[in-house]
Each structure stands twice: as C-alpha cells, then as structure tokens.
Amino acid sequence: MARYLWGRIAQAVLVLWIAFTVTFVLLQALPGDAVLIKFQGGDLNLTPAQLEEIRLSYGADESLLVQYLHAIGNVLTGDLGYSVQAGVPVTTLLAANLPSTLVLASLGFAVAVVLAVGIALVSSLTPFAWLRNVLHSVPSLFISIPTFWLGITLIQIFSFRLKLVPVIGGSTLESLLLPVLTLAVPISAPLAQVLVRSIDEVSVQPFVSVVRAKGASPSWVLWRHVARNATLPALTIAGVLLGELIAGAVVTETVFGRTGIGRITQDAVNNQDVAVLQAVVLLSALGYVVVNLIVDLLYPVLDPRITVRSGDRRANRRAGARVATGASA
Amino acid sequence: MSLLEIESLAVSYSTAGGIRRAVHDVSLAIEPGQTVALVGESGSGKTTTAQAVIGLLPENGRVERGRVLLNGTDIAGWNERRLRAVRGTQVSLVPQDPVSSLDPVQTIGAQIAEVFRLHEPRDRRPVLPRVLALLERVGIDEPEHRARQYPHELSGGMRQRVLIAIAVALHPRLIIADEPTSALDVTVQRNVLDLLDSLRREFGTAVLFVTHDLAVAAERSQRLVVMRDGRVEEQDDTATILQAPGSAYTRALLADAPAFSTVERVARPAGGGSSAAGGATTEAAPPTAAPPALAVTGLVKEFRRGARGAAFRAVDDVSFAVPAGTTHAIVGESGSGKTTTARMVARFETPTAGSIALAGEDITDARGAALRALRRRVQLVYQNPFSTLDPRQRIRDIVEEPLRNFGLGDRAARRDRAAELVDRVALPPSVLLRHPRELSGGQRQRVAIARALALDPAVFVLDEAVSALDVTVQAGILRLLDELQRDLGLTYLFISHDLAVVRQISDTVSVMRRGRVVESGPVASLFADPRHEYTQQLLSAVPGAAVPGAADALPTPLGDRR
C-alpha cells in the first residue's frame, strides 16, 4: 500500500513537471509580452529602450533555458513569481482568490451530484414511463447548454424579471445561488448520463433477479444492491469532471463578476501575465492529480474485487468493474 | 391438490417488432416434494415459463392468459407487492450462472442474511448463527471465514452452493432451478445436483428443474415436460418418456443427446494410413513410418503471478501424438490446463519447455515469418460463436479475411472461395451478405469453421467448439466436423469438458488434471475400462450414465446418420 502510494506520488510529480514545462514553452512562444501590454501606449509613452530596461528588471534578458531553470527552482522553493499586471507576488494573488473559487467549485460540484443522483434515482424508480423518458432526455439538454448563456439567462429571469436575487451585493448565500447553479447544471449532465446508464446496466444483471426472488422490493434492490454497483463508473467520471469545473468557474466568475481564480485566469490571459498563468496551470494540474488519486483509492473501498497491490504501480482493476478511461492522470 | 398448477399459460414479450408470443398454452402440475424437469432448447420458452411462475418476467414480458395456482391460489394476476411475500418463502430461485448471480460488492454472509432480514424484519434472533448453519448445510467448509468473503473469492461450485443456501433458507415449498449447473464442470455439477436432491428430500420441497440437458433431466426428475417453440410437446413420467418417447421431437432430442448414444466412433482408415486406435499414448510409436500430423512431447507451461511471484505450472509434462486424419481429444475440468495446451499447439503461447512438431517439423520456436506461415497450417475454432465473429463485418468478409491477410487470389477468386466455403459447411449462399447477429449460434459456428477452412489447414484446434450449443445443433456441427475430416483428411485436436461429446468424435483421448495427463489411449478402451481413479470419477459424473435402459432405446451412432 505504501509502495503504491509512493508510486502514485512520483507519477503526480511527473505530471506536474510536464504540465509546467509545456505551459512554459507555449507561453514563451506567444508574440508580445506582459511588459508591452502593460506599459505600451497610455500616458507613459515609454521608448523601446525603456521597455527593454523594464524587461531586464524582470530577468527577461537571460536565455530561455536559464529562465526555465530559474522558474523551476523558484517553484520548488515556493516562489511562484511576480504578477506583472497586479504588481504583487503570485502567491499573494492566489491566496486572495482561491477561497472564493473553492467555495464556488465545491458547492457547484455538490449541487451537480445531487442533481445527477436525483435524476437517476427518480427515473429508475418512477412507475411512469413518460416521466422516465423526460428525465432520460434531461442530461442531453443540460450538456448542450453553454455556461455563459445559462448564467445570463438565470440573471435575466431571477434578478431582473422576478427580482428574487440581487445582481450585485446581497448576502453571501444570495450571491452564491445563481453562480453555483450555473456551474452545477453542465457538470451534472455527464454525471447523470453515466449514472442512469450504469443503473440500467446493473439492473439487468442476474444477481438483481436473485435479490428480487428473495422477495425484495424495487427500492430495496436499488438502494442496497444497484446503487453501490452503479457508483463506480460515475466516480470515474467525477474525477474527470474536475476539468469541466475549472473551465466552468472561469466563465461563471466572469459572467457574475465574482473574484476568484477563474477571474484572475481570464485577466492573466488577456494580459499575458505569464507567471500567473503558470501558477494557475500548476494549481489545476495539482487538483487533477489529487482528485484522481482519491478516486483511485476509493475504488477498492467500493468494490472488493479491485485491489491496490503493493509492488504493482497500478490499481489492479479486474474485470467486472467497468472503469472508464482517463482516471489515472 | 397439486403444489403448483399451471393452466394454459400464455406469455408474450413486447419488442420493437411488435408483440411476440414466447409461451402458448402451457399446462403442467407439480406435486409436493416432486422434481419436474422442463426440457427444451434455447428459445423453447422453458425459462419464460419458469419466470412467469415467480412473477419475475423481464420488464417487457406479460402473462396474457392462463392461471398459476400455488396451493390452489391463482397468483398469476397478483401485483408486485403481494408476490414479494411469496418469493423466498413459498417459491425460491436457483439461477443459471453462479458467477453473475451474487452481488459482487457484498459478502456471502450478508447476501444470505438478506433473506431473513427481508421476511422476518422483526425477528430478534441473531441472524449470523442461522447463516453459518446454512453454509455448513450446503457443504461449505469454514463457514465463519466464508461468510466474510466476497463472491469473487469463491469458486463457481461454491457460489452455486451459496445460491442454493439462499433458496432453501426459509424452507420454501417450491424451488425453481433454472439451468443450475450448466456453467459447472461435470463433477461439480453432480455434487451440486446431489445437494439439491438431498435438500429436497430433507425439507419436502418440490423442484421445477429447467434444463436443456436431457441427460441431467432424465437422471434427476420424476416427471419430464418437453417444450418446443413455446408449447408442451410431451409430458409424462420420466421413465415412460425415456422408454417410449411419444413425439418425434423428443426422439430427436434423445438421439442427439451425446450421453445416450452408446456407439463409439467408428474406426476407419485414416489419411495417414494408421488406424484410429493408433498411438496417442506416449510409449507407443506411430505404427507407420509417416510422422504424426501433430506430436507434442514433454510440454510445460509456467505462469508467474506478479513480478516475483512463485511459478505456477499450468501444463506439466504433457505428451501425445495425433496421426493424420484422426481426432485426439483432451478432456478435463476447468483449470486442468487443456486450453493452455491448445493455445501452445496453435502457438499463441510459447511453451516453457518441451516440443511441438507438425508433420515431423519442429514448430516450438517458430517466430516471425515462420510463425505466420504456421497459421496457414493450424487453425483455431473457439467456444463462443457470439464473440468470435466481428459483428460489423458481413459473413463474406469474415470468411475471406484469412485469404486477404495472406494475399491469396484476387477479389473475384476470393469471393468464389468464400461462396464455396459457405457451401462446404452447409449454409445457404444467402448468408454471405448477412451480419453475424442475423445468424443462430449453430450457423455462426459453421461460419467460424468455414473461416478456419479458408487456408486449407492440416490441423484444427477445436477449443470447446460445441459446448455453447443446444444438443441438436451440437450434433449437426459434430456431423459436419466428421464429414470434413473424412473428405479433407483434417486432423483435429478437440478440447472439451464433455466426455459424452468426446466419445462421439474422437479416436484417442488424453485426460488432464491439474496440468498433467493422468491417462491416455484410444477412446473405446479408455471409456470401457478407465484405469485412473480420476477418469473413473469423470465418467461416473456424466449425467445420464446411470439412466437404465436409456442407451438401449436409442441406438443412433453418428455413423448411421451420415
């Protein structure tokens, strides 16, 4: 077990390093830079020579390789660099913005899970075929709604027409309501789809007939047998959905004018604020790796057929546990 | 009053193509403590009938009319809630496939205890002792330990015992056993059926025994109901039907059941000139100068568990020789190493030690181009005709594929060859343009054989090639194989767990157990006079072996029906 964990941590470090390097190369390849965007034009009217001087002060005169090694060294010592645009260390920027994004993302995810489970359970327990059909088509609808459109529509309806939630201001809870919903709906869709499908698949397994032949009711079968067996594929998807969550947060924070990681990411992209972007990519990769490690560690808890063998660097997923791809980042 | 009476039951399924009747007008009765066997081929409606009794039809199934009287009460029209009180307490189920019939994420103990929790929720007595007593009763050792294990940690036979424990937990009046042993080895099958029999006697429980295997039905039931196309073809006391089957269909079923045919394979001059009783034994040299079509000497295969795990010998010092134009069978239970041996002969596995020779030429270490050339001489036919054909290809493409792979002939020549091959396996030319899903299991297996024939191989490795088929279909395939062997001089290595089938098709046989050959020789003498204790065990476990008079009534050797 310890061996397995160390192996996974080594993998995680590798993933982080690759993510960092790829971002570094891509960002360097872009034309223009943050200095140009911040100081060119405007009232300052700096000459190219002066711009070059500012660049020197950021250490931009050194070769790319040296810059790269510097950057890596700094990251390893916990220094994520300096935001050219905001003029503060990136760590300060992240510390100020992370909490609000974490709250938004975790609430959004929780609501998405509730939505997905609700759709799946109601559609499999309902005696009405029409309701089942309606619920089965809901995920496809949800998945095709663009986040920005949903956000704007929700503001239109709930804030402007019905005047239930203020657009700006209001209590913390009120200000979270619409953003959380905007974020949750598109996330819930793939989750619900996978859940509905795996519940359908598990429900026709022979062991379900055996449980019914024991005299169990449909809800007994669903809660005690089908649910746990159907959770595994959904869990895998949940790990993958973290990416959607980050992308969704960027749009949601912009639409609702909230501060947060999504917002500084957007600003950093607009301003080519390389250090901030590097940090955001690193943070997202870290989130991915951690969430997927947790997911992988949860498999054996849910399904005794899956064992985490020491000496084996992969979780050994045996036949029977249909696990979608992409879980081990 | 009968325990269960089914009166003119009709069941239909609503499918995309409309309403389809699966069961028409079925009537039968079961007396308390009696075993009634419901026999038929797949699609005969036997399982649908059984499911209707317990109200567990698939969602699209519906009882159209008829009555199901349990102790005189009609339960056919009962709703789910009322049926729940009957299930498990009055009527219980032993399902077909023990591997998928237990919840994989719950312990054995919890799944047995569930029956008590469902029906006696207010019972204050602790459940665990009752669970352990049940496990012990169905013959599972170390009940305390087993109760805490998960299904995947138990063998198929043990899982079926657990399922039987669940079925008898509340001493129901009727057990519906739906093909309870079809997925098990013969010796395990016998133990499980013996257990079911003794529980039936102990608790006075009646059994509705659904099976496609007439031999098993004959041995275990007092009454036989033969079904065909959703109707009862014939029903009577088992002994009466075996002695004098009333309908032509029952006679055909009996004739095709391999267990009942007494006549061994007819010895005949084979392609290589050696007699059928030639030299499968390791000591006996082939009687003629020509080398055997296939000779295996001292074959060993070891598998390692994990990187540093101990080696496990799946095949241990196996030797046999198959003269050209004859059939050598390898029999054994699952885990005996017979499939690994077959895969090594086809060179899909590389032996750890030993040698394989094809017509005198050593192919043990063939690789690269030589290995590829070998594929033209040795072909494999697998057990499952449903997963060995690409569902997206048409039959013509499937049969042509080996020719395309080896670049043989032009387009037109390949088409002609495909048509010829399909004709060779007695399929109509119309199948060429169809897809595998449109064919029956037997037809698919014929397609697999046609594909294997495409390259004119000398040796066929048949791995349980007829095990997944109904008896009549199986008999048809066996006849085809026999015919092909006579016409083309093919040599067969026939892997099977079914001794009855082996007796019909093989000239010589090796019995394998735990990787070793325990006994080998000509089929006739080995079956008549088994020397090794394990061979004796296997033979006595063959269902139908003990049915008196059954064999005499049906003198239908394979040779007579050619």
Side-chain angles (χ1 to χ4, degrees):
Chain A
M1 187 64 200
R3 208 190 143 87
Y4 169 78
L5 263 181
W6 280 116
R8 286 300 306 262
I9 288 169
Q11 269 182 11
V13 170
L14 188 71
V15 168
L16 291 179
W17 173 71
I18 292 172
F20 182 85
T21 308
V22 169
T23 330
F24 185 88
V25 172
L26 286 179
L27 291 176
Q28 292 300 335
L30 286 177
D33 64 11
V35 174
L36 206 64
I37 290 168
K38 181 167 181 177
F39 297 106
Q40 200 185 32
D43 315 325
L44 291 170
N45 255 338
L46 296 178
T47 62
Q50 285 170 310
L51 281 175
E52 201 54 40
E53 228 164 276
I54 295 171
R55 284 204 187 95
L56 281 182
S57 71
Y58 282 100
D61 58 332
E62 288 169 283
S63 78
L64 274 183
L65 186 66
V66 174
Q67 284 189 43
Y68 172 71
L69 291 176
H70 266 298
I72 286 263
N74 286 341
V75 168
L76 289 179
T77 54
D79 175 10
L80 292 175
Y82 224 71
S83 163
V84 175
Q85 193 68 25
V88 292
V90 174
T91 39
T92 318
L93 204 61
L94 288 184
N97 286 287
L98 195 56
S100 107
T101 302
L102 276 184
V103 168
L104 177 67
S106 42
L107 278 179
F109 190 70
V111 172
V113 168
V114 170
L115 266 176
V117 170
I119 290 171
L121 288 188
V122 173
S123 77
S124 80
L125 277 180
T126 180
F128 309 112
W130 65 265
L131 183 56
R132 193 172 313 135
N133 289 339
V134 168
L135 286 173
H136 278 192
S137 55
V138 162
S140 329
L141 180 70
F142 278 7
I143 215 165
S144 41
I145 297 176
T147 312
F148 72 89
W149 182 86
L150 181 66
I152 293 168
T153 312
L154 285 177
I155 293 176
Q156 272 291 337
I157 296 173
F158 290 97
S159 300
F160 294 152
R161 291 278 165 79
L162 302 175
K163 304 204 187 304
L164 292 175
V165 188
V167 187
I168 297 165
S171 68
T172 324
L173 192 70
E174 278 179 332
S175 70
L176 269 171
L177 206 60
L178 293 185
V180 164
L181 208 58
T182 309
L183 194 55
V185 164
I187 302 282
S188 72
L191 212 53
Q193 265 173 337
V194 171
L195 259 183
V196 165
R197 196 179 321 137
S198 55
I199 285 178
D200 283 353
E201 270 170 27
V202 174
S203 300
V204 297
Q205 292 283 311
F207 75 79
V208 171
S209 307
V210 172
V211 178
R212 289 188 62 203
K214 288 177 186 171
S217 65
S219 62
W220 177 293
V221 172
L222 184 68
W223 284 112
R224 290 174 194 245
H225 295 277
V226 175
R228 196 168 150 196
N229 278 285
T231 311
L232 274 177
L235 190 67
T236 306
I237 288 290
V240 175
L241 282 177
L242 188 78
E244 300 269 324
L245 209 56
I246 295 168
V250 173
V251 179
T252 310
E253 285 175 355
T254 312
V255 170
F256 288 92
R258 293 174 57 87
T259 54
I261 299 292
R263 188 65 180 280
I264 62 170
T265 308
Q266 196 216 355
D267 289 346
V269 169
N270 287 342
N271 299 320
Q272 287 196 21
D273 207 341
V274 176
V276 177
L277 286 176
Q278 282 280 18
V280 168
V281 169
L282 213 54
L283 195 69
S284 320
L286 188 69
Y288 237 75
V289 167
V290 169
V291 166
N292 281 297
L293 180 60
I294 293 172
V295 166
D296 277 4
L297 291 178
L298 272 177
Y299 284 132
V301 177
L302 283 167
D303 189 335
R305 286 168 301 179
I306 302 170
T307 51
V308 175
R309 263 197 259 157
S310 54
D312 198 348
R313 288 188 55 201
R314 300 179 309 261
N316 177 19
R317 291 165 196 161
R318 287 198 212 153
R322 294 162 297 100
V323 177
T325 51
S328 51
Chain B
M1 185 174 62
S2 301
L3 172 64
L4 179 80
E5 241 176 295
I6 300 178
E7 287 178 6
S8 18
L9 182 75
V11 183
S12 65
Y13 291 106
S14 58
T15 59
I19 306 277
R20 192 177 58 79
R21 267 278 178 91
V23 169
H24 320 255
D25 195 31
V26 165
S27 302
L28 59 92
I30 303 176
E31 303 305 320
Q34 194 183 35
T35 298
V36 173
L38 203 52
V39 187
E41 301 182 53
S42 32
S44 62
K46 57 188 194 303
T47 293
T48 300
T49 306
Q51 285 171 335
V53 169
I54 196 168
L56 284 180
L57 286 168
E59 236 172 70
N60 59 342
R62 202 172 66 84
V63 173
E64 279 194 336
R65 61 186 165 75
R67 303 202 296 169
V68 176
L69 300 168
L70 186 68
N71 287 321
T73 314
D74 185 8
I75 61 169
W78 279 19
N79 63 20
E80 176 72 24
R81 187 179 295 274
R82 289 179 81 187
L83 279 171
R84 258 181 253 156
V86 174
R87 290 180 196 144
T89 55
Q90 303 273 320
V91 185
S92 65
L93 174 77
V94 178
Q96 170 161 19
D97 177 14
V99 175
S100 57
S101 292
L102 287 166
D103 186 341
V105 304
Q106 286 201 4
T107 59
I108 299 301
Q111 298 191 53
I112 298 176
E114 189 174 25
V115 189
F116 300 122
R117 299 227 157 88
L118 275 164
H119 293 285
E120 299 164 0
R122 274 174 291 280
D123 196 325
R124 292 284 169 146
R125 280 179 297 165
V127 174
L128 186 63
R130 302 173 74 185
V131 169
L132 297 182
L134 265 173
L135 279 173
E136 191 152 5
R137 178 64 196 84
V138 297
I140 285 181
D141 53 345
E142 303 178 77
E144 289 91 355
H145 176 58
R146 296 295 183 194
R148 284 195 302 271
Q149 285 191 310
Y150 290 94
H152 70 276
E153 297 172 88
L154 273 61
S155 71
M158 279 207 274
R159 286 188 230 189
Q160 196 56 290
R161 285 169 190 271
V162 170
L163 285 158
I164 290 174
I166 290 171
V168 300
L170 296 173
H171 299 192
R173 309 286 308 278
L174 174 68
I175 293 175
I176 295 172
D178 186 3
E179 304 267 13
T181 56
S182 304
L184 303 175
D185 281 330
V186 273
T187 48
V188 183
Q189 169 176 339
R190 185 177 56 174
N191 293 338
V192 167
L193 291 175
D194 284 349
L195 169 67
L196 209 54
D197 253 355
S198 78
L199 288 170
R200 178 177 64 85
R201 275 195 291 276
E202 189 177 322
F203 302 134
T205 310
V207 177
L208 177 60
F209 187 43
V210 180
T211 181
H212 69 280
D213 191 334
L214 200 58
V216 174
E219 204 170 70
R220 302 286 170 172
S221 69
Q222 285 90 54
R223 221 179 139 72
L224 267 183
V225 180
V226 180
M227 283 191 71
R228 182 194 192 184
D229 297 336
R231 296 175 202 278
V232 173
E233 183 79 14
E234 178 170 14
Q235 59 177 315
D236 209 328
D237 289 341
T238 305
T240 313
I241 290 193
L242 288 181
Q243 291 295 339
S247 83
Y249 179 69
T250 313
R251 275 196 294 278
L253 266 189
L254 279 167
D256 287 332
F260 292 125
S261 78
T262 47
V263 182
E264 296 86 35
R265 184 188 182 83
V266 193
R268 55 166 191 267
S274 58
S275 79
T281 47
T282 46
E283 313 90 73
T288 55
L294 173 69
V296 163
T297 322
L299 210 58
V300 175
K301 180 71 189 178
E302 288 184 347
F303 291 109
R304 285 186 185 280
R305 297 216 171 104
R308 291 179 309 264
F312 163 72
R313 283 209 160 187
V315 175
D316 190 359
D317 192 22
V318 167
S319 304
F320 55 83
V322 194
T326 70
T327 302
H328 183 71
I330 301 182
V331 295
E333 309 195 327
S334 38
S336 61
K338 57 188 195 301
T339 291
T340 308
T341 306
R343 288 179 60 82
M344 281 192 284
V345 167
R347 283 301 319 278
F348 288 117
E349 298 274 0
T350 303
T352 310
S355 72
I356 305 162
L358 212 58
E361 179 197 341
D362 192 327
I363 59 158
T364 321
D365 297 313
R367 59 188 82 237
L371 185 60
R372 201 167 134 76
L374 177 71
R375 304 273 179 245
R376 294 182 62 169
R377 297 164 62 195
V378 181
Q379 282 286 318
L380 207 65
V381 179
Y382 273 110
Q383 169 168 14
N384 190 337
F386 293 90
S387 56
T388 50
L389 304 178
D390 185 344
R392 289 182 195 282
Q393 287 191 330
R394 285 182 303 185
I395 301 304
R396 171 190 281 157
D397 302 320
I398 290 173
V399 176
E400 276 182 10
E401 185 165 1
L403 301 171
R404 273 203 308 278
N405 290 346
F406 280 93
L408 300 177
D410 58 9
R411 219 180 147 77
R414 287 200 293 263
R415 291 224 157 163
D416 292 348
R417 178 76 174 136
E420 186 191 315
L421 287 165
V422 161
D423 183 54
R424 182 71 255 205
V425 297
L427 285 174
S430 59
V431 303
L432 282 168
L433 296 177
R434 300 226 197 117
H435 286 95
R437 64 170 177 277
E438 300 169 74
L439 306 186
S440 69
Q443 287 177 318
R444 288 182 215 206
Q445 201 60 311
R446 282 173 193 266
V447 171
I449 291 171
R451 175 174 60 184
L453 278 174
L455 294 169
D456 284 321
V459 175
F460 262 29
V461 177
L462 300 147
D463 189 0
E464 301 274 11
V466 296
S467 303
L469 305 171
D470 281 332
V471 277
T472 30
V473 181
Q474 182 176 327
I477 299 283
L478 288 175
R479 280 195 289 273
L480 171 70
L481 287 172
D482 196 58
E483 201 181 291
L484 291 173
Q485 184 166 57
R486 278 185 299 117
D487 294 353
L488 306 172
L490 290 171
T491 306
Y492 294 155
L493 182 61
F494 191 87
I495 313 296
S496 182
H497 69 280
D498 190 336
L499 279 89
V501 169
V502 163
R503 184 168 55 173
Q504 274 186 319
I505 182 117
S506 319
D507 301 297
T508 53
V509 60
S510 298
V511 181
M512 280 186 77
R513 185 190 200 190
R514 293 183 198 141
R516 302 190 72 98
V517 174
V518 297
E519 190 168 5
S520 66
V523 168
S525 59
L526 191 131
F527 275 55
D529 183 21
R531 295 290 162 80
H532 195 278
E533 189 195 350
Y534 181 66
T535 315
Q536 290 162 3
Q537 253 182 51
L538 272 184
L539 279 169
S540 67
V542 171
V547 179
D552 308 334
L554 303 151
T556 15
L558 196 51
D560 287 4
R561 283 186 280 125
R562 275 175 193 152

